[in-house]
Amino acid sequence: MHAFEYQRPASLTEAVAALGANEEAKALAGGMTLLATMKQRLASPSDLIDLSGIAELKGIRREGDAVVIGAMTTHAEVHASSEVADAIPGLATLAGLIGDAQVRNCGTIGGSVANNDPAADYPAAVLALGATVHTDRRTISADDYFTGLFETALEEGELITKIAFPIPQSAGYAKFANPASRYAIVGVFVARTSDGVRVAVTGAGAGGVFRVPEMETALSGSFTPDAVAGIAVSPGGLNADIHASAEYRAHLVSVMAKRAVAAAG
Amino acid sequence: MSTDGIGARVRRKEDYRFLTGNGHYVDDINRPGQAYAAFVRSPLAHARIRSIDTGAASAAPGVLAVLTGDDAKADGIGGLICGWMITSKDGSPMKAGGHPVLAQDKVRYVGDHVAVVVAETLDQARDAAELVDVDYEELGVVASTATARAAGQPAVHDEISDNTCYEWELGDKAATDVAFSGAAHVTRLDIVNNRLIPNAMEPRAAIGDYDRGSDSFTLYTTSQNPHVHRLVLSAFVGIAPEHKLRVVAPDVGGGFGSKIFIYAEETVCLWASKRVRRPVKWTAERAESFLSDAHGRDHVTKAELAMDANGKFLGLRVHTIANLGAYLSTFASCVPTYLYAPLLSGQYKIPAIYAEVDGVYTNTAPVDAYRGAGRPEATYVVERIVETAAREMGIDPAELRRRNFIGPDEYPYQTPVIMTYDCGDYNASLTKAMELADYGGLAARKAEARARAKLRGVGFSCYIEACGIAPSAAVGSLGAGVGLWESGSIRFNPTGNVIVNTGSHSHGQGHETTFAQLISSHLGVPTDQVEVVHGDTDKTPFGMGTYGSRSLAVGGSALVKAAEKIVAKGRKIAAHLMEASEADIEFKDGKFTVAGTDKEKSIQEVAFAAYVPHNFPPDLEPGLEENAFYDPLNFTFPAGTQICEVEVDPDTGVVEIVNFVAVDDFGVVINPMIVEGQVHGGIVQGVGQALCEAAVYDEGTGQLLTGSYMDYRMPRADDVPSFKVDMTVTPNPSNPLGVKGCGEAGAIAAPAAVMNAVIDAIGADLQMPATAERVWQALQAGTKMAAE
Amino acid sequence: MPITVKMTVNGKAVSRDVEPRTLLVHYLREHLGLTGTHVGCDTSQCGACVVHVDGKSVKSCSMLAAQAEGAAVTTIEGLAAADGTLHPMQEAFREHHGLQCGFCTPGMVMSAVDLLQVNASPSEREVREWLEGNLCRCTGYHNIVKAVLDAADKMRATPQAAE
């Protein structure tokens, strides 16, 4: 790791100011990706602004028709939350499938969504549930938020404060994990709402998380595993690496979609 | 009679320190004034070094030295060696390319050690290492085992043609050709034995510590064989004379072969410590381990088995290309030759065998012994082709094996490939394993799985290995540069407790417990009164270390010999103390008695007298301490059967192991608890090879694509079930303990058992690792074929 | 610029001036001399470095020492009783031969102890899934799983032993 300066502000305002003061500064959430990258000397921020001291970024609340999760809430907290389990059990399931127990004790939802790793789990839930990303300066709808590989609508120095997940009628997540890294080779989140069904796929897309309109239409007609069994996504535009070819990923999207629907019940 | 001796499930003496965080691994050691080393490694698989600019690095904060291959050359530091000479079939000696401790002229694999930075702190060393500017001229890359010898490939070593180290053969080609010409059926199989990275959980580490006052060196290192390190570093690399070099291998966190070898980094730490007059420490980051630990396996093989109409084996023909990597590591040359082909007879009577092995260089990390070393590769060939033959012939795989087993009354059995098996009962372990696996219920389980849209399969692996490495005369005649005896000493202290020194090294095997049990049984001293010391060339007599499942068979036998000397000496002392004739003294259960009387002296009383010899006669030497060397009479031949049952999810190709049985014949077992643990661990390494692990190099660039745990799939707790492990016993007639060795069996047998099961389930042939995608693709191909 | 990092480790208040880039594991090993916590990888996969921070298991190689400022940290050295009596989890590992080379053991034990805090009666499957963040190359996991299940039984029978 290269040398850096460390700050741990107590408020969001201070954190935003610190990030704004130096364009080489980076925000540190759970650190599960950033510290690993820095250890490999692939990132060298001048300053790390540790967000863990900011109370307003933590916690899980039910607010009307939504579950609102603070950006610094850990995966383990989401997984264990009775609010989440009651309202969106598929989201609790997803949080429990991220990394391993120790990663879940440190990694945060805000860090994961800000990083937008194409194989991360949360983007699938955020997009399928049509969540709203709240930042220190605005709100961004899920459909506008994810803009590419590790790319989001966030501006330089903009911090996620919380994410609001509308409560669906039902939702489910199925993941085919990379057996080495435990990231998603394919993860499919299916959400059934009064406005219809949304299906979002992580892990597979060369451009990051994406929706599958054909599956959404089919499931809006009949919310059953069989409804998606025959729908194949094209391998074109999917990732291929030593762990899975695009063809295999395309196949897994259908299999995981079926399983996600079954899990949603 | 001791209750904690041979055969008892004694809880381990070493556990308390490991469980409380009080182990002492190399990285836990810090020497006063210690500086830190960081290596500059090649980012390219093959390149000529035009120049190395160390200026900026040398000027960086805290830097004490920046050293390159030229500095090593100037200081007379020699290259690393390979200790086993292989002779090609044309009679020419193998071609060993130079292996400098820091690259000279060329780099030959990604991770090759180019320069070292020594600095006050580790961060400073790493910061400065980034500033070393190496100007490379990129060269073409050869990274594929199968095509390394093809025309037009770049030469890894300029002076070695066709990237060929040797073209070796074993067996009778003419007799094998005759066998095939008379065959009723020939089974043919193409096999890739996938390249693995050993991944002991403790990364390699070293501290070189030069003492100016005595002009001597101490090396703390992660070694399975500290004396061999000292010998090589002294006699061949020329770091220091042997008597001025101490090598300490303290607690070592797993080896699996990868810590046998003498590596560049530890050599450089020693040399650099003299240059900077400070202790120099290096600990591998895991990324460095992936790149620079010696890898294992990596064979491409064509095998053919000839049978008569009843499935009787007539002959076996094998051609293997073995990837040796960019340089010959310490024992690299013998692994795919003498540790491989002599096992191709398996548990079977095969009248004629002919094997050819081409050892090739590639722009990849060196390949050397990894748990099993050659024997897993041989077992995989034999057990995959036997099971394939059974399928082709329509004979039950167990039945085909039984028709060809060497019978229990046929020992000693001379195979056509060097080995003389001395004992065994292969059908006994097969039968027991089939009972434990409920082989009779398989058809019903397959049907039940099909009803759930799952595919079930079962696979056998009846392995044999040659362990207890090895009779010095035998290995010497085959090209080994060393003898493979072992030594040990036993010292009674005046108060009656015992210090045992052994040349074997324990890095997880539990020698501190097992060897104490052995002493308990032989000398009647409770295990808690026995301290076993190993891993320090200044403390223990000479030793050859731990690999090839040799510690008990060879190191343990040396202790038995030393114990016999202790009893002989004790008898003299007891005769004097009890005023009897030495011939009348008997020893049993820790007591010397005068035959036909009730006179007795405990061994502790005798030990006390030995050190307080107030009335000893002049010809009775004080003290009770003996050492012994033991050179084995033969290899040992552990053997047994593993049966694996899998269930495949055809939707995803995921393979789940639903049952796994191992029945082994290790001869006499000292501590069944420890032996079972060795089997469990070996099985998972074998399962890892079959289902998970593969070291993958990009064929165009030679970049390692599986350079971290993010990409190299280690088997984890949720990848495997609990196992059913049992034993059969045929005592080994060739050593005084009747033992055979147990450390490698699991890893040797498991790959074939798992793959045979997967292939049975899906009905298609497949190479390792049987990843979900490969299985799914094989099923897709099968579906397509069925549709056409 | 060095910063002062204070925390409580195994019940003892400690303070050290360290570079901000100091990882928690290096703070423990290099600055406090607590070498029971090991480093087995650089991608937070192997779990040899698992310690408890404010009661939860974390990988100390993936956390800055500064992030543990003010926290209560427990390492393998702090698990046994002051008189040396092993924690039931340590005892179960010894009884069932759940360790061989010992290198992964501290992290494995600390992770397993956390599992029983979260789930006092895990099934074999749950134990295996929880331990996916801890690699062991020696034991094949068989005896580790046995040890954790046995420790769970014993700790349920005598809950005070869990302290």
Side-chain angles (χ1 to χ4, degrees):
Chain A
M1 220 182 271
H2 289 113
F4 56 84
E5 299 297 324
Y6 172 84
Q7 304 174 49
R8 194 190 203 180
S11 75
L12 184 61
T13 319
E14 286 173 61
V16 172
L19 282 168
N22 185 341
E23 64 179 39
E24 297 298 315
K26 263 195 185 321
L28 175 66
M32 293 297 94
T33 301
L34 179 56
L35 291 178
T37 313
M38 290 170 64
K39 279 163 71 178
Q40 292 175 75
R41 294 177 172 249
L42 298 174
S44 317
S46 62
D47 296 73
L48 277 190
I49 315 301
D50 183 352
L51 307 179
S52 65
I54 306 172
E56 61 201 279
L57 296 181
K58 292 176 186 164
I60 301 170
R61 292 174 301 279
R62 177 93 179 240
E63 287 182 8
D65 292 338
V67 173
V68 179
I69 302 177
M72 287 297 285
T73 308
T74 65
H75 311 320
E77 288 162 350
V78 174
H79 178 56
S81 156
S82 55
E83 286 88 349
V84 178
D86 289 346
I88 321 175
L91 186 60
T93 302
L94 177 148
L97 293 172
I98 299 172
D100 55 49
Q102 289 73 39
V103 168
R104 294 193 288 273
N105 277 337
C106 290
T108 64
I109 189 168
S112 172
V113 173
N115 188 49
N116 190 22
D117 188 304
D121 296 281
Y122 269 127
V126 170
L127 188 59
L129 288 165
T132 302
V133 178
H134 294 248
T135 76
D136 62 276
R137 60 201 71 166
R138 58 178 169 151
T139 60
I140 309 171
S141 78
D143 288 318
D144 297 332
Y145 178 82
F146 300 102
T147 57
L149 289 183
F150 298 101
E151 297 287 334
T152 69
L154 292 175
E155 295 163 357
E156 213 45 54
E158 183 173 10
L159 284 176
I160 298 176
T161 55
K162 59 189 179 185
I163 298 171
F165 292 93
I167 297 168
Q169 291 165 349
S170 63
Y173 183 62
K175 172 180 183 177
F176 192 89
N178 178 322
S181 70
R182 306 278 152 143
Y183 275 89
I185 281 183
V186 170
V188 179
F189 201 103
V190 175
R192 183 189 196 189
T193 71
S194 51
D195 296 337
V197 176
R198 286 165 68 105
V199 177
V201 178
T202 190
V209 65
F210 64 90
R211 288 172 63 184
V212 188
E214 304 90 325
M215 287 185 177
E216 294 179 353
T217 307
L219 288 169
S220 296
S222 162
F223 195 75
T224 60
D226 285 346
V228 286
I231 301 175
V233 299
S234 161
L238 297 193
N239 286 327
D241 55 28
I242 57 168
H243 301 291
S245 65
E247 181 196 10
Y248 183 54
R249 278 190 165 89
H251 168 72
L252 287 177
V253 170
S254 301
V255 176
M256 292 301 124
K258 259 170 69 177
R259 292 181 184 183
V261 173
Chain B
M1 187 66 197
S2 70
T3 55
D4 59 0
I6 291 173
R9 304 176 78 90
V10 176
R11 301 302 181 268
R12 296 201 320 170
K13 293 159 73 78
E14 39 277 86
D15 286 357
Y16 190 86
R17 72 173 187 272
F18 292 142
L19 282 164
T20 54
N22 287 294
H24 280 100
Y25 302 88
V26 172
D27 192 50
D28 301 340
I29 297 170
N30 292 298
R31 302 294 301 157
Q34 171 181 293
Y36 295 83
F39 284 84
V40 177
R41 295 184 182 277
S42 173
L44 300 171
H46 198 193
R48 212 165 290 285
I49 298 173
R50 287 201 196 96
S51 64
I52 303 176
D53 182 352
T54 60
S58 299
V63 171
L64 300 168
V66 183
L67 303 172
T68 67
D70 286 347
D71 299 312
K73 205 175 190 176
D75 281 5
I77 302 300
L80 301 173
I81 58 140
C82 177
W84 199 304
M85 172 54 71
I86 298 298
T87 304
S88 284
K89 47 187 133 170
D90 68 1
S92 64
M94 70 182 188
K95 297 176 181 64
H99 191 181
V101 295
L102 293 173
Q104 286 164 8
D105 306 327
K106 260 172 86 164
V107 289
R108 295 183 175 84
Y109 66 98
V110 174
D112 204 349
H113 19 86
V114 176
V116 66
V117 176
V118 181
E120 295 286 349
T121 72
L122 182 56
D123 281 329
Q124 287 173 334
R126 287 184 181 155
D127 289 347
E130 289 184 343
L131 303 175
V132 174
D133 186 10
V134 186
D135 183 14
Y136 294 106
E137 175 195 342
E138 268 192 72
L139 300 172
V141 170
V142 50
S144 150
T145 310
T147 59
R149 308 179 69 213
Q153 290 285 353
V156 177
H157 295 273
D158 297 353
E159 69 281 15
I160 297 174
S161 54
D162 301 327
N163 291 317
T164 301
C165 180
Y166 50 71
E167 294 175 295
W168 178 85
E169 66 178 351
L170 184 67
D172 188 332
K173 184 174 190 301
T176 308
D177 288 345
V178 169
F180 273 83
S181 65
H185 182 83
V186 175
T187 294
R188 296 187 171 81
L189 203 56
D190 288 337
I191 287 173
V192 175
N193 203 287
N194 43 325
R195 185 182 181 110
L196 304 175
I197 301 178
N199 275 301
M201 291 319 301
E202 178 205 24
R204 286 190 293 121
I207 305 171
D209 192 352
Y210 174 69
D211 181 72
R212 198 176 177 183
S214 60
D215 190 29
S216 64
F217 292 83
T218 302
L219 172 64
Y220 302 86
T221 187
T222 47
S223 171
Q224 300 177 214
N225 33 233
H227 292 87
V228 176
H229 267 71
R230 187 177 65 162
L231 176 65
V232 171
L233 288 168
S234 172
F236 298 98
V237 184
I239 290 282
E242 220 171 339
H243 66 300
K244 291 289 188 183
L245 175 58
R246 173 187 178 198
V247 179
V248 181
D251 287 329
V252 172
F256 314 111
S258 69
K259 293 171 181 169
I260 297 170
F261 322 120
I262 289 76
Y263 285 95
E265 294 87 353
E266 55 203 353
T267 309
V268 167
C269 283
L270 270 177
W271 164 55
S273 79
K274 187 172 182 180
R275 290 280 299 229
V276 303
R277 300 278 161 96
R278 303 263 296 269
V280 174
K281 182 177 188 174
W282 168 79
T283 302
E285 295 190 289
R286 181 57 64 181
E288 289 185 283
S289 308
F290 274 104
L291 291 174
S292 68
D293 286 3
H295 295 182
R297 318 281 193 255
D298 203 342
H299 287 193
V300 174
T301 294
K302 284 188 180 300
E304 299 169 281
L305 178 66
M307 284 162 285
D308 72 12
N310 295 317
K312 268 281 193 201
F313 300 159
L314 303 174
L316 177 69
R317 198 152 49 198
V318 173
H319 179 267
T320 292
I321 306 173
N323 192 345
L324 302 167
Y327 302 101
L328 283 186
S329 171
T330 315
F331 288 110
S333 57
C334 72
V335 173
T337 50
Y338 286 111
L339 295 182
Y340 168 67
L343 275 302
L344 286 171
S345 196
Q347 299 184 349
Y348 311 108
K349 286 177 281 191
I350 307 179
I353 298 175
Y354 179 64
E356 293 171 285
V357 178
D358 301 333
V360 300
Y361 290 106
T362 59
N363 293 118
T364 63
V367 180
D368 205 325
Y370 166 60
R371 200 172 195 169
R375 291 150 294 170
E377 296 92 316
T379 299
Y380 192 68
V381 169
V382 173
E383 289 304 288
R384 284 278 291 106
I385 202 163
V386 165
E387 195 128 326
T388 306
R391 219 165 273 132
E392 289 177 358
M393 304 276 284
I395 302 172
D396 179 89
E399 170 57 24
L400 181 65
R401 287 177 168 90
R402 283 183 173 131
R403 283 184 201 173
N404 289 284
F405 276 157
I406 297 160
D409 53 352
E410 295 180 85
Y411 298 100
Y413 178 82
Q414 176 64 52
T415 74
V417 276
I418 300 177
M419 293 298 177
T420 310
Y421 299 167
D422 47 14
C423 69
D425 187 346
Y426 308 137
N427 192 38
S429 46
L430 173 63
T431 302
K432 199 168 194 176
M434 288 169 73
E435 285 165 15
L436 285 172
D438 184 20
Y439 189 65
L442 177 66
R445 292 195 298 279
K446 280 189 169 183
E448 186 276 334
R450 256 196 312 275
R452 290 182 285 111
K454 296 283 165 60
L455 305 169
R456 250 189 204 230
V458 75
F460 290 79
S461 181
C462 297
Y463 76 97
I464 191 165
E465 50 171 332
C467 296
I469 289 173
S472 296
V475 295
S477 73
L478 303 176
V482 291
L484 287 169
W485 42 265
E486 192 51 87
S487 81
S489 74
I490 300 171
R491 184 173 81 212
F492 273 78
N493 293 316
T495 52
N497 47 39
V498 178
I499 303 284
V500 171
N501 285 292
T502 171
S504 298
H505 188 278
S506 183
H507 30 279
Q509 297 89 339
H511 296 169
E512 290 167 43
T513 306
T514 305
F515 287 2
Q517 287 180 258
L518 187 163
I519 297 300
S520 171
S521 280
H522 280 260
L523 295 176
V525 181
T527 55
D528 65 3
Q529 297 291 303
V530 181
E531 195 71 12
V532 176
V533 178
H534 64 89
D536 185 338
T537 56
D538 270 12
K539 287 185 184 166
T540 65
F542 211 94
M544 293 308 294
T546 287
Y547 39 82
S549 303
R550 69 191 302 271
S551 296
L552 193 58
V554 190
S557 294
L559 289 176
V560 171
K561 275 186 71 180
E564 286 166 357
K565 291 184 184 176
I566 289 277
V567 171
K569 173 75 179 289
R571 189 175 274 127
K572 283 193 174 67
I573 297 170
H576 165 70
L577 295 177
M578 295 187 281
E579 298 175 328
S581 158
E582 195 185 322
D584 292 336
I585 302 292
E586 294 171 348
F587 179 74
K588 202 182 166 207
D589 296 340
K591 289 189 175 60
F592 292 94
T593 52
V594 181
T597 75
D598 59 358
K599 284 189 185 176
E600 67 171 41
K601 288 281 177 191
S602 71
I603 196 165
Q604 288 83 1
E605 289 174 292
V606 167
F608 183 78
Y611 293 101
V612 191
H614 288 167
N615 59 359
F616 271 25
D619 60 342
L620 184 54
E621 188 182 336
L624 192 57
E625 175 172 0
E626 298 288 349
N627 74 347
F629 282 63
Y630 176 79
D631 202 323
L633 302 172
N634 192 0
F635 291 86
T636 67
F637 299 98
T641 293
Q642 291 185 353
I643 300 177
C644 175
E645 190 165 326
V646 301
E647 195 162 286
V648 174
D649 175 359
D651 281 348
T652 58
V654 168
V655 175
E656 183 193 355
I657 295 175
V658 291
N659 197 12
F660 201 107
V661 170
V663 178
D664 298 286
D665 177 358
F666 297 133
V668 173
V669 169
I670 307 278
N671 186 325
M673 177 190 83
I674 288 177
V675 169
E676 289 161 12
Q678 290 291 313
V679 174
H680 299 151
I683 289 171
V684 173
Q685 279 177 314
V687 168
Q689 169 159 34
L691 296 182
C692 312
E693 299 176 46
V696 181
Y697 281 94
D698 181 86
E699 290 199 4
T701 64
Q703 293 294 328
L704 180 64
L705 300 179
T706 51
S708 82
Y709 292 136
M710 301 290 281
D711 292 305
Y712 188 89
R713 185 190 169 191
M714 291 280 278
R716 306 196 195 205
D718 58 354
D719 289 321
V720 287
S722 292
F723 309 110
K724 295 181 185 134
V725 171
D726 209 335
M727 317 261 166
T728 57
V729 176
T730 58
N732 184 355
S734 304
N735 65 48
L737 285 163
V739 300
K740 298 182 182 177
C742 66
E744 297 165 292
I748 288 171
V754 175
M755 291 303 292
N756 284 336
V758 172
I759 291 163
D760 183 45
I762 68 172
D765 196 48
L766 198 63
Q767 301 291 2
M768 298 189 289
T771 59
E773 173 161 13
R774 277 196 185 165
V775 171
W776 179 78
Q777 296 281 13
L779 284 166
Q780 295 308 106
T783 312
K784 271 180 207 144
M785 267 167 54
E788 276 157 16
Chain C
M1 190 79 104
I3 53 173
T4 302
V5 177
K6 296 178 185 167
M7 62 186 84
T8 304
V9 178
N10 299 331
K12 206 174 120 196
V14 296
S15 173
R16 292 289 187 279
D17 292 341
V18 300
E19 277 199 74
R21 60 175 156 173
T22 305
L23 296 167
L24 178 58
V25 68
H26 293 135
Y27 185 92
L28 296 169
R29 287 180 57 82
E30 311 297 334
H31 296 272
L32 302 181
L34 294 171
T35 56
T37 303
H38 298 149
V39 179
C41 79
D42 37 27
T43 52
S44 73
Q45 302 274 325
C46 84
C49 66
V50 170
V51 301
H52 293 187
V53 174
D54 290 333
K56 288 178 183 157
S57 60
V58 303
K59 291 182 168 169
S60 62
C61 77
S62 297
M63 186 179 212
L64 300 172
Q67 288 175 285
E69 167 73 29
V73 175
T74 306
T75 70
I76 190 70
E77 288 94 340
L79 201 58
D83 69 354
T85 305
L86 295 178
H87 181 281
M89 187 63 74
Q90 292 168 309
E91 186 55 41
F93 268 66
R94 199 186 72 86
E95 177 63 23
H96 295 285
H97 189 33
L99 65 154
Q100 292 183 24
C101 82
F103 195 79
C104 77
T105 308
M108 197 66 83
V109 168
M110 296 308 286
S111 179
V113 169
D114 192 24
L115 165 64
L116 299 191
Q117 294 175 164
V118 176
N119 178 359
S121 309
S123 65
E124 174 175 343
R125 191 72 221 159
E126 287 170 333
V127 172
R128 289 183 178 278
E129 282 172 2
W130 178 274
L131 293 178
E132 71 178 341
N134 293 80
L135 297 176
C136 170
R137 197 58 152 167
C138 294
T139 65
Y141 305 104
H142 180 107
N143 285 337
I144 290 175
V145 173
K146 222 161 121 183
V148 176
L149 290 169
D150 186 44
D153 285 346
K154 297 225 163 80
M155 287 168 70
R156 280 198 309 275
T158 48
Q160 71 278 14
E163 289 302 306

